[in-house]
Structures are given as C-alpha cells and as structure tokens.
C-alpha cells in the first residue's frame, strides 16, 4: 500500500516492532535497524513510537484514528478493545474508517485465542499435510508463507472495504485469519474430500525434479512437448517408444524414464535446459536461489531489485514490486528508523507543541 | 438485502485455471458483476477435456465425468462461483467485436493468457483503450509482458522453483522441493484482488485507467523477501531447514496415533518449553541443561525432537493440540481434507460454503481469506455452465439485438458445445 502511494504511518512500541529483533541481520549484528525482515517489509512508511500500555497513549492514537482511512492491526483479539482502541472506538471516532485485523485465527471462533506460528497455521489450514514425501512427515513450505498470505489478504480486504466506503461513506471491520488464508490456498484437500470423498495424500512435488550440472531443473511438459523434449536430449527414438507414449504410460514407466533423463540432465547447466525447453514452449523451471534471481536477465529487465541507501544498514538491494503499472515507475524508499517521524507526525499532523512532545517523551508515552 | 461491497463494479474475466479465476471469484463473492469469457474451442483448461480419457488430472463428482464433463470439473466449479459465463470465439473477428462491445460497459478486463496472446486477438491494452479510454486491464502472466522471458510459460510448481520458494523448501539436509499445491496461484489471486481495486481507486481519483502487468514469478518471490535480504546483506543463500524455524526451537511435525496423523509444535520461549515439559509429564526437562534456553535447544534439537515424538506417538493428535493450546503452546494438527471440512473453528466462522450445481451436485467449497462486518461476502451463485449466460450478457450488457445474437450463433462464434468444434492448440 505504501509503495502504491498510501501514506502509511507505522506505530511501533518504543522498543520497536518485533520484526526488528528477527533475523537475518546485516553482518549478523542484531541491531534494530539492521534486520533484513524489517527493512524489506517497511519500505515507504513513516515510523512513530507509542506505548499503548501507558494511560495517556490511547487518546493519542485515537487522534490518529481521526484522519485515517484504514487502521491495520495485528494484536491478540480483544487487546485493542481493552484499551478503547478497537473497532468500536474507531467507528465512534471516524465512522468512515476501515479497520483490518490480522491474527492467526480471526476475531471469533473456538480457536480464537489459540497460539500459532507459521507452521501451526499451515497445519490447521491444510497445506502442511499435502506437502512433502508420502513416506515421511508432512513438510512445511519454506519461509513464512501464511504470514505473507495474511498480509496480502489484509491488503485486498482493505481495498474492498475502501471501495465500499468510497461509495457509501460506511466504514467497517475486516477480519483476516491466517489459517483461513492457508485454507483458501490449499486448493486440493477440501475439494478432494468434497467431490470424491477421499483425503488427498502427499504425493511428492508436482513437477519431477532432476539434478542438473549446477542445480535442479523442474521438467514439466505437456503431451505436445514430449517429442521436443526427446529431441533436446538427443533421443528422437524415444518419441515412438510405447513406454513413453503419453502422460499415463510415462507415469507407469517413471523409473525407466528417469534412468534415461537423469544422466542426461546431470550433464546440463540448469539454465540451458530451462531456456532451451521454454524456447520449445515447455513450461520448464529451475530452482533459483537469490543469487540466480539477482543475476536473472528477466528480473533485471523489470528492475525488480532496487538499491536503497539506509543511514544504518547502508546501500542494499531490495526486492521490489511484482508488477508494472502503466507508464508509472515505482518509487521505492527505505524503511524508517525507529520513531524517525515522531516530530513530523505528532508535531505536524497532530499539532502537539514542542513542550507537549517533551512531556510525552518524558512520560514514556512515545 | 444489504448492499454488497463491490456492487456496481463490472469485470470482464478472460482468465483460466486458478490464479485469475480465484481472484475474480472473490470479486464476484463481494458483489462485483463478473463475466467470464470462454469459448467451446478454448475452454478454461480447468474444465478438463471434452472427452476425458480417464486417468489423473481433472476431478469429477464421485469420479464420474458425466454427459458434459466440462460442467462437472471440480476445480472450475470451485473457482468460478459468483460469475456469469459467455462463449465467444476470440479468434473470430465477430467474437473480437462482441468482446469490445462488452468492454465498453466494463470497468476492468482481467486476463491470464501467455503474454502477447490478447494482443494477437486484437484485444491488447492499446486496442481496448480505443473502445473505452478509462478501461483498467490487468494481465496475470507468468513473468509480465516485457523482458527476455516474457513469452515463457509456467505452472504453479515451476514458479515455486524459479521464484526461489523451492530453494528454502525441503527436508533438513535434503534437496529443495516444491509444495503439494500450486501455491503461487492463490498468492497471485489474493494479491490481484487488491491490485485491481487500487487501480479502480486511482481511476476514481484521476479519471485515468491503466494497464497493470503482473509477474506471477515476482509475486511469488515477494514471499521470501527476508531470504533475499540475507543474500544481499550477507551473501548467504539459505537452504531448506525442513520443519524447523530460524528463530524458535524446537519446532517440528510429530507422529501421532491414527492414519498418517501428525501434530505441528513450535516452542517460541523458555516458558513455552516449560509448559510443554509439564504437559508431557516430564517437568524436569524445564531445567535440563540441554534445553534451558533457545541456544541450548537449537544445539540439542534432535534430542528434543526424539523426546516429543516419543510422547506424541501414543497419543491422539487433536488431544495433544488441545492440551498444548490449553497450556499456551502453539500446536496444530496437520489436517487432512476430512478434518478441514469438519474443523470446528472454520465451521464456526462459516468458512465452508455449500453450493448446489445443476450438473455437479452439492459440495462444500472454500470461501475467502477475509471477513467483513457490514458487507459479508458469499457464494452468490454456483459456477456457471459453459456459455450459460451468453445470450443474457450479449443482450443486457452489450446491448445486442436478438438478430445480432442469432447471427453470432449461426457463425459459430458463441458455440458452447466443445464437442462441436475442433480444439485449438494453446
């Protein structure tokens, strides 16, 4: 939202967003301005500090509510309301505003107060069970997929609510549950049970993966790609081999097929196979690590990675926006320092006098 | 009936398979008028084959393709609820003309062809702007419409590879791998909903439409931003760490009693470790020097896993979850399809929506990853039959006369029986 042009004011506790304490850190130095997670997630925002637990703080935040279009929060359900900062308080202060609450299980329901991590959300959302090898334990998708998915859901939820608000003047409360994001993403488990009354099992990766000379290639091809693939391997004779005539026979003779493909693939550079296959319209893939993506001509052509300077972390390359927007160029700006914008937000936007700001600071409200 | 959130928004949907259809389905659920454009020659591939030869792939109710398999395919019926459907052959000039007449009355065109296909139909952004100057066009292609790999194709599984997600997915010490679903598809779907509405908001404020050119690969890469930062900061490429976490320890997925039943457990603090120890009936573990703090627990992660596995192996997964959660420890059953549909939490929140389809029967479908206090979304109608609304839409939206509609039908432009036409190659 911030990179798209919204004025995003990030309200952090005086000790900073927890993300500031999470790795990776520049040079493995756990400094609050050197967390790669924080730096990545907070580009284009302003940062102010506020200790909501201080008696004077809720009134300060409610003044920010007055001019907000959207309030996005991720505290445990009921916590904001206990400080008179929940949706009721927002509606009272600014009925046109939208509140989006992002939590593991949502604002109501029997698991509302359950604890979750990304792994637990993947488990209860049904994605964990279907990933991994059939003979081993279910396997987590790497990184923090349920967190990111909830973030995108909050983005879309906010924009839907704003569309309605712009048409009617009516704000509302949007409830985003991490576990429902994953339950929306699993796609196969619920549908399998609903349609054929079977539980989908783990069945290895979708695309057969081969070890290439310098990494891994995902060889996914359709029926009309088979002859081209045989040609690529220098084995046109396989085109007429009945063992590999169609998807079903190839699956039935998977071991024999792999005995032919694997040794060939092991000699090929991964990107050569990827580009040669794609030139023949095979939807091939290869496993990219960050170095591969930074070196990718495609990512470079889009300017996907942008170098941003930061007063503490210095110049670093950042992933940017995943889309082009007409003729407009994205203006990616570095993440804020902790409380960097206290003066301009509390002093400028809210009109606190310098003396009042000193008082708020001395009483540890900000 | 209360007003729906996206009432008044009209979307022309030329997407197929998963990402695009899921996006427009959510728009439809929230009140937008979504018109899905297919043709007998070029159905949404999620409809499967007109004459299925059996085997894996398309899922039909109870495994039976039926008389019109394309109307019974599970995935198309899940992802196209709350829409209308028309058949227009876009390789025919009259099909293109009819499409443009619809564009005049739409806010947004969303498409997910291989980059360049819409332009070849004469329906690229430049063509559409001539018809409706403030049109918003959103392309959901594999890698965007520019750059050396713009014409490359992909599936969700190959995107997980090229976008970097697979590089951090895999068993500890093992090879990288992909997930058990096409995870990039729902990612792009949920990102695109907000993106479309951001473009609408810009149009409301400036009067300008725009062309949004999404790269599904980059959208997926955005999910591993911190992994990329580790590389740009420290030149370190993280590999797979299985079910473990880079901060918490221990964390894992442990076997329980029953058919392939597993429990996921994460320990985020010394307090949670002490709680786990108490629930396991081994309070001494709290002060065991192997596990007293997160550094020690990381060092002895294998031993912690062995102790936890030994405890869970003779226990019911749901009981373990309830006991641990009652003690404040993050724990969740690795739910299978049947568990998901019976899940008390998801059901209490009305997450599953039961829909009756005239040719595919009644089934529960997933809903949306957001709930609205004043304008709740819902499945407004079952997924349309192929071409179910062709006449209605051409008449009521494009403003065509009965004679014009009959002429298109006579030319075969609006044919809706895939068996009546030869199938076009991709």
């Amino acid at each position: 939202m911030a990179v798209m042009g919204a004025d995003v004011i990030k309200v952090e506790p005086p000790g900073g967003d927890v993300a500031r304490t999470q790795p990776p850190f520049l040079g493995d130095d756990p400094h609050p301005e050197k967390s790669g997670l924080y730096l990545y997630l907070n580009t284009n925002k302003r940062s102010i500090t506020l200790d909501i637990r201080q008696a004077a703080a809720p009134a300060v935040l409610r003044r920010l509510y007055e001019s907000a279009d959207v309030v996005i929060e991720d505290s445990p359900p009921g916590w904001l309301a206990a400080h008179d900062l929940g949706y009721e308080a927002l509606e009272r202060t600014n009925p046109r505003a939208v509140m989006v609450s992002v939590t593991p299980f949502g604002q109501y329901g029997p698991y509302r107060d359950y604890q979750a991590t990304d792994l637990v959300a993947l488990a209860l959302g049904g994605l964990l069970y279907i990933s991994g090898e059939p003979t081993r334990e279910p396997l987590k998708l790497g990184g923090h997929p349920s967190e990111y998915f909830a973030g995108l859901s909050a983005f879309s939820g906010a924009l839907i609510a704003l569309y309605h608000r712009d048409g009617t003047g009516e704000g509302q409360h949007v409830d985003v549950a991490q576990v429902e994001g994953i339950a929306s993403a699993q796609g196969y488990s619920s549908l399998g049970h609903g349609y054929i009354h079977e539980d989908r099992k783990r069945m290895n990766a979708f695309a057969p993966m081969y070890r290439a000379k310098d990494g891994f290639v995902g060889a996914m091809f359709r029926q009309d790609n088979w002859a081209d693939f045989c040609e690529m391997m220098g084995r046109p004779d396989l085109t007429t081999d009945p063992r590999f005539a169609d998807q079903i026979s190839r699956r039935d003779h998977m071991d024999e097929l792999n005995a032919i493909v694997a040794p060939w693939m092991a000699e090929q550079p991964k990107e050569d196979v990827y580009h040669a296959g794609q030139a023949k319209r095979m939807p091939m893939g290869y496993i990219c690590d960050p170095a591969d993506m930074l070196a990718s001509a495609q990512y470079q052509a889009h300017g996907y990675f942008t170098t941003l300077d930061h007063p503490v972390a210095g110049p670093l390359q950042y992933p940017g926006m995943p889309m082009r927007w007409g003729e407009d160029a994205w203006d990616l700006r570095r993440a804020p320092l902790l409380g960097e914008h206290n003066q301009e937000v509390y002093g400028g936007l809210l009109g606190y006098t310098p003396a009042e700001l000193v008082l708020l600071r001395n009483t540890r409200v900000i | 009936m209360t007003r729906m959130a996206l009432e008044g928004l009209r979307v022309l949907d030329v997407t197929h398979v998963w990402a695009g259809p899921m996006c427009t389905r959510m728009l439809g659920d929230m009140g937008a008028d979504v018109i899905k454009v297919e043709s007998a020659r070029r159905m949404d591939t999620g409809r499967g084959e007109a004459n299925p030869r059996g085997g894996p792939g398309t899922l039909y109710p109870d495994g039976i393709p039926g008389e019109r398999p394309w109307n019974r395919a599970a995935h198309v019926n899940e992802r196209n609820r709350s829409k209308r459907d028309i058949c227009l052959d876009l390789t025919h000039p009259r099909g293109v003309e009819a499409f443009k007449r619809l564009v005049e009355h739409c806010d947004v065109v969303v498409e997910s062809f291989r980059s360049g296909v819409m332009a070849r139909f004469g329906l690229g952004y430049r063509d559409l702007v001539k018809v409706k100057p403030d049109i918003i066009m959103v392309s959901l292609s594999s890698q965007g419409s520019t750059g050396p790999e713009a014409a490359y194709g992909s599936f969700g599984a190959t995107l997980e590879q090229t976008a970097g997600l697979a590089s951090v997915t895999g068993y500890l010490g093992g090879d990288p791998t992909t997930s058990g679903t096409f995870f990039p598809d729902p990612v792009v779907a949920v990102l695109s909903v907000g993106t479309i509405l951001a473009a609408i908001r810009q149009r409301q404020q400036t009067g300008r439409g725009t062309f949004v050119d999404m790269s599904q690969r980059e959208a997926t890469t955005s999910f591993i931003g911190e992994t990329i930062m580790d590389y740009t900061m420290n030149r370190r490429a993280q590999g797979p760490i299985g079910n473990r976490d880079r901060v918490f320890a221990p964390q894992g997925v442990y076997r329980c009693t029953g058919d392939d039943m597993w429990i996921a457990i994460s320990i985020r603090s010394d307090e949670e470790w002490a709680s786990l120890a108490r629930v396991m009936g081994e309070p001494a573990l709290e002060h065991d020097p192997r596990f007293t703090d997160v550094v020690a627990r990381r060092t002895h992660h294998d031993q912690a896993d062995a102790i936890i596995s030994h405890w869970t192996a003779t226990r019911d997964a749901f009981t373990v979850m309830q006991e641990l959660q009652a003690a404040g420890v993050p724990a969740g059953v690795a739910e299978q399809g049947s568990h998901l549909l019976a899940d008390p939490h998801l059901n209490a929140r009305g997450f599953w929506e039961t829909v009756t389809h005239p040719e595919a029967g009644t089934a529960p479908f997933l809903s949306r990853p957001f709930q609205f206090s004043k304008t709740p979304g819902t499945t407004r109608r079952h997924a349309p039959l192929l071409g179910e609304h062709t006449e209605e839409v051409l008449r009521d939206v494009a403003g065509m006369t009965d004679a014009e509609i009959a002429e298109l039908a006579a030319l075969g432009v609006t044919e809706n029986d895939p068996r009546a036409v030869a199938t076009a190659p991709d």
Side-chain angles (χ1 to χ4, degrees):
Chain A
M1 293 176 87
V3 181
M4 284 180 169
D7 175 14
V8 177
I9 300 170
K10 185 177 174 75
V11 183
E12 304 190 56
D17 178 351
V18 173
R20 292 182 183 273
T21 68
Q22 294 199 351
F25 293 101
L26 175 66
D28 294 325
D29 172 16
H31 183 288
E33 304 296 351
K34 292 183 181 176
S35 159
L37 180 68
Y38 183 91
L39 292 171
Y40 167 63
L41 291 175
N42 293 286
T43 51
N44 293 53
K45 302 181 192 174
R46 299 198 276 178
S47 165
I48 63 171
T49 49
L50 184 66
D51 185 353
I52 290 173
R53 295 166 305 178
Q54 300 294 326
V60 175
L61 192 56
R62 279 195 299 273
R63 287 194 57 194
L64 281 169
Y65 280 8
E66 287 170 23
S67 63
D69 295 297
V70 183
V71 175
I72 301 195
E73 65 91 14
D74 64 356
S75 55
W79 191 85
L80 273 187
H83 294 84
D84 195 21
L85 292 168
Y87 180 67
E88 290 74 11
L90 178 65
E91 190 177 28
R92 188 177 73 228
T93 312
N94 178 357
R96 289 176 53 81
V98 170
M99 178 173 278
V100 183
S101 293
V102 187
T103 57
F105 296 98
Q107 300 296 302
Y108 69 100
Y111 297 172
R112 185 186 93 145
D113 298 320
Y114 269 19
Q115 298 295 308
T117 57
D118 193 66
L119 177 70
V120 169
L122 290 174
L124 287 169
L127 186 56
L128 182 65
Y129 180 76
I130 57 175
S131 299
E133 293 172 17
T135 55
R136 293 193 60 176
E137 69 275 24
L139 176 66
K140 182 185 183 306
L141 202 54
H144 302 91
S146 77
E147 305 260 2
Y148 281 101
F149 203 94
L152 292 187
S153 303
F155 162 66
S156 288
L159 267 297
I160 290 170
L162 280 177
Y163 182 92
H164 177 74
R165 191 283 301 271
D166 290 344
T168 62
E170 179 183 68
Q172 62 182 314
H173 193 188
V174 183
D175 180 8
V176 171
Q178 229 171 303
V179 71
E180 285 179 339
I182 294 305
S184 299
Q186 45 81 24
Y188 289 96
S189 272
S190 56
L191 202 55
H193 200 83
Y195 257 65
I196 56 170
H197 312 291
E198 282 177 15
D199 284 326
R200 184 185 179 85
K201 299 294 179 186
R202 291 183 294 291
M203 46 208 316
N204 292 318
F206 261 100
M209 201 106 68
Y210 293 98
R211 194 178 281 274
K213 195 174 180 181
D214 55 349
F216 294 87
V217 167
M220 197 144 183
F221 36 77
R222 294 177 304 238
Q223 182 58 25
D224 53 343
N225 299 137
W226 174 239
D228 286 326
F229 187 67
C230 296
E231 192 79 36
M232 256 175 72
M233 290 193 297
R235 291 292 304 274
D237 56 300
L238 294 178
T239 310
T240 52
D241 191 322
R243 291 174 301 166
F244 312 127
D246 57 33
Q247 300 279 59
I248 295 167
S249 48
R250 282 197 294 277
R251 195 196 52 196
D252 290 345
H253 299 93
M254 189 55 90
D255 290 345
E256 291 153 89
L257 181 62
N258 284 343
I260 298 167
V261 177
W264 175 80
M265 204 67 96
E267 299 297 313
Q268 315 300 317
K270 60 190 178 188
E271 287 188 67
D272 287 7
V273 180
Y274 169 67
H275 292 299
Q278 288 282 359
K280 295 286 187 186
R281 300 176 70 78
M282 280 174 232
M284 288 266 189
Y286 68 109
I287 291 199
C288 286
D289 66 14
D292 295 319
M293 287 182 278
L294 283 155
S296 155
Q298 181 66 12
Y299 280 87
Q300 287 172 3
H302 287 170
Y304 179 71
F305 296 102
T306 307
T307 299
L308 300 177
D309 201 1
H310 182 281
V312 178
L316 290 169
Q317 280 176 295
Y318 289 70
M321 290 291 271
M323 66 193 90
R324 264 37 65 195
W325 197 278
E327 303 298 314
D328 301 344
W330 297 115
D331 176 24
L332 205 65
R333 284 175 278 121
R334 68 159 174 88
L337 303 172
L338 180 59
E340 182 175 350
H341 304 95
N342 277 351
Q343 181 66 40
E344 67 180 58
V345 171
Y346 289 126
L349 185 65
L350 294 189
Y352 283 104
T353 64
E356 286 169 326
L357 277 175
V358 168
L359 205 57
L360 288 175
R361 199 165 276 132
N362 280 345
T363 52
R364 300 178 188 280
V365 175
I366 68 175
Chain B
M1 172 103 185
T2 53
R3 184 185 160 115
M4 298 200 76
L6 299 183
E7 215 166 301
L9 184 70
R10 184 175 282 150
V11 179
L12 201 55
D13 174 13
V14 211
T15 67
H16 41 258
V17 191
W18 189 345
M22 182 178 174
C23 161
T24 53
R25 190 267 299 171
M26 289 189 277
L27 295 172
D29 286 353
M30 297 308 301
D33 178 12
V34 179
I35 300 166
K36 181 177 176 75
V37 182
E38 304 179 75
S39 74
R41 211 176 279 282
R42 196 166 195 158
M43 299 186 287
D44 183 333
T45 49
R47 289 191 185 273
E49 294 172 28
N51 297 297
R53 289 163 297 181
T58 312
L59 204 58
Y60 301 104
D62 299 313
I64 303 164
E67 210 177 313
R68 286 173 293 276
W70 55 89
N71 287 332
R72 284 172 58 80
H75 292 103
V76 93
N77 285 340
E78 170 158 277
R79 296 167 193 156
N80 294 284
R81 289 167 285 152
S82 303
K83 304 179 191 176
R84 299 195 276 179
D85 191 274
I86 75 166
C87 278
L88 276 184
D89 181 357
L90 299 179
T91 63
H92 194 290
R94 298 294 296 275
V96 172
E97 187 193 315
F99 187 92
K100 286 181 175 172
R101 284 181 65 177
L102 286 171
V103 170
E104 288 175 43
H105 305 282
C106 289
D107 299 289
V108 185
V109 175
V110 195
E111 64 94 10
S112 67
F113 283 115
R114 249 184 217 252
S115 180
V117 170
M118 284 296 276
R120 281 207 298 282
F121 290 148
L123 295 171
Y125 177 64
R126 287 198 184 90
D127 305 299
L128 301 188
V129 168
K130 288 175 194 150
V131 179
K132 189 167 193 290
D134 67 351
I135 192 72
I136 290 161
M137 185 172 188
V138 179
S139 279
L140 308 177
S141 63
S142 177
Q143 301 203 40
S145 70
T146 60
E149 297 176 24
Y152 285 15
S154 62
F155 287 107
T158 58
L159 283 173
E160 287 183 17
Q161 299 165 9
T162 55
L165 196 53
S167 75
V168 290
T169 301
Y171 290 103
L172 187 66
D175 290 341
T177 188
T178 51
S179 75
T181 185
F182 283 4
F183 191 64
D185 282 275
V187 165
V188 169
V190 72
L191 169 61
S192 299
V193 168
T195 299
I196 287 167
L197 293 169
I200 290 281
R201 213 174 147 70
Q202 183 185 40
R203 188 194 69 182
Q204 283 167 346
Q205 288 167 4
T206 66
R208 282 190 293 120
T210 195
F211 172 52
V212 180
D213 190 10
M214 179 87 72
S215 161
Q216 298 200 26
R217 183 181 179 189
E218 291 166 18
T220 308
T221 299
S222 72
F223 269 47
I224 57 158
E226 70 277 19
T227 302
I228 292 173
M229 295 303 294
D230 200 9
Y231 185 81
T232 65
M233 293 189 308
N234 303 315
R235 293 287 169 236
R236 182 164 50 210
Q238 299 176 358
I241 54 167
N243 289 322
R244 293 188 178 176
D245 189 81
R246 292 183 198 281
V247 181
F248 318 134
Q251 175 174 286
V253 179
Y254 306 98
R255 188 85 192 228
C256 298
T257 56
D259 178 21
D260 207 22
M261 294 295 294
W262 304 83
I263 182 95
I265 300 173
S266 302
I267 301 299
R268 300 172 296 187
S269 64
D270 299 347
E271 292 71 27
E272 288 180 359
W273 173 254
S275 299
L276 172 67
R278 278 194 296 276
V279 174
M280 290 196 296
E282 301 199 44
L285 288 174
E286 182 187 352
H287 301 294
D288 187 318
R290 293 173 298 171
F291 308 120
T292 43
D293 59 37
V294 69
V295 176
R297 289 193 299 272
R298 293 185 78 83
T299 307
H300 303 102
H301 205 302
D302 288 345
Q303 293 172 47
D305 286 344
I307 292 166
I308 299 168
S309 290
H310 184 256
W311 177 66
T312 61
T314 56
R315 282 172 171 76
D316 171 71
F318 284 97
T319 308
V320 170
M321 173 172 81
Q322 284 152 10
E323 287 174 1
L324 289 177
Q325 287 284 0
V329 175
V333 175
E335 293 200 347
Q336 308 178 19
S338 49
H339 305 133
L340 281 176
L341 292 173
D343 184 290
H345 186 71
L346 294 174
N347 279 292
R349 290 174 60 82
F351 181 73
W352 305 111
E353 293 180 346
T354 298
V355 181
T356 298
H357 182 283
E359 295 196 17
T362 302
F365 292 103
L366 57 86
S367 58
R368 294 155 301 280
F370 29 56
Q371 296 196 7
F372 293 76
S373 62
K374 293 178 185 166
T375 60
T378 187
T379 299
R380 290 157 69 211
R381 68 180 317 284
H382 62 78
L385 310 176
L386 180 64
E388 182 178 347
H389 305 95
T390 304
E391 285 181 29
E392 168 187 317
V393 166
L394 290 177
R395 185 180 62 237
D396 298 347
V397 179
M400 286 189 179
T401 63
D402 289 345
E404 287 176 301
I405 294 168
E407 198 190 344
L408 288 179
L411 289 167
V413 171
T414 53
E415 176 60 56
N416 70 353
D417 181 354
R419 285 172 179 155
V421 297
T423 308
D426 176 38

